[in-house]
Amino acid sequence: MAGELSPIDKAKFVAAKRAAEFVEDGMRVGLGTGSTAAWLVRCLGEMVREEGLKFRGVPTSTRTAELAREVGIEVVSLDEARWLDLTIDGADEFDAELNLIKGGGGALLQEKIVATASDQLLVIADAAKEVEHLGAFPLPVEVIPFGWPTTQALIEETLVAMDVMGRGATLRMTGDRPFITDEGNHILDLHLGRIGNARQLAMVLNQIPGVVENGLFIDICDIVVIGYGDGRIEMRDINSGTVENDRLDFVETDNLFSDLGD
């Protein structure tokens, strides 16, 4: 129930609820991965059931696809959709220019492909995700399994010349085994502390053999919807330079809040 949610979950919920209003009948919509994106999928599922909203969703991970089908959203692949009207996703960090770090959930490759195949990327986040400089959150880098220790060494060597505070990299694990992405790859988490030039770092990392993609989303996000635990919502549009403020009153509904597993 809404009244039993923590302040952080309330913030995620109100951001997701506001972002869901951008989805219109007939749209092709990218659906992000992670805890905040899961709130969005639940909200959209409720709109499908209660309001008859009809759209096609392109999930960015297998778990998002499973949740979308569970709540009644029509799921199609990016190959079928070809191009999207809108993608809505969460972020691990965002700065004043709406540059992002993403990939905490391990789906950064599909998330970046889907986001760049969209007319707009709308990011939903709680206020704690806003930072002055990216980098406090570990930067995920997806690498192929073959020779990953060599790739890690090359990354750490490259970081010496980059404008970052830290240079450590660790292999993401699930229990005692390496985390495996939907594409069968590994993820190295870079513990940088602070990234001085995110655009440069993103370009350099992708030149390293073995690197598939990195979690820096530069000049991709158009709008961020920020939720607060008291129901306030702030919406920033980087293209128009506008900032809008709103508030969402909580309505307790078993339909939406029951068995939310993410």
Side-chain angles (χ1 to χ4, degrees), residues 89-254:
D89 204 347
D92 298 304
E93 286 184 345
F94 69 93
D95 65 15
E97 296 178 349
L98 304 195
N99 294 317
L100 320 168
I101 285 182
K102 290 179 49 56
L108 67 98
L109 179 57
Q110 288 191 24
E111 288 174 336
K112 190 172 282 191
I113 292 171
V114 169
T116 53
S118 306
D119 287 339
Q120 276 193 318
L121 172 62
L122 191 158
V123 163
I124 48 179
D126 59 89
K129 301 296 176 60
E130 183 172 13
V131 296
E132 185 175 354
H133 298 283
L134 298 176
F137 190 91
L139 174 64
V141 178
E142 186 159 342
V143 300
I144 66 170
F146 175 79
W148 72 263
T150 300
T151 304
Q152 178 177 346
L154 289 169
I155 290 172
E156 291 175 337
E157 181 180 341
T158 300
L159 290 174
V160 173
M162 296 290 101
D163 184 8
V164 295
M165 288 182 62
R167 301 185 182 93
T170 56
L171 180 67
R172 186 177 299 184
M173 305 293 289
T174 301
D176 59 353
R177 296 185 178 185
F179 174 86
I180 303 298
T181 69
D182 280 355
E183 289 74 35
N185 297 318
H186 294 335
I187 287 183
L188 293 173
D189 288 311
L190 310 189
H191 305 278
L192 307 178
R194 177 185 180 277
I195 300 172
N197 189 333
R199 181 174 285 100
Q200 179 191 47
L201 181 60
M203 294 176 62
V204 170
L205 285 172
N206 281 7
Q207 300 303 310
I208 298 173
V211 170
V212 180
E213 189 53 83
N214 68 82
L216 287 167
F217 284 53
I218 309 299
D219 299 331
I220 298 176
C221 179
D222 298 285
I223 299 171
V224 62
V225 179
I226 307 165
Y228 295 83
D230 60 1
R232 288 182 296 126
I233 304 163
E234 181 180 333
M235 186 170 66
R236 303 178 194 170
D237 187 321
I238 195 69
N239 299 309
S240 67
T242 58
V243 177
E244 297 180 16
N245 291 282
D246 199 358
R247 181 181 291 273
L248 178 67
D249 293 326
F250 293 106
V251 178
E252 296 187 355
T253 164
D254 286 323

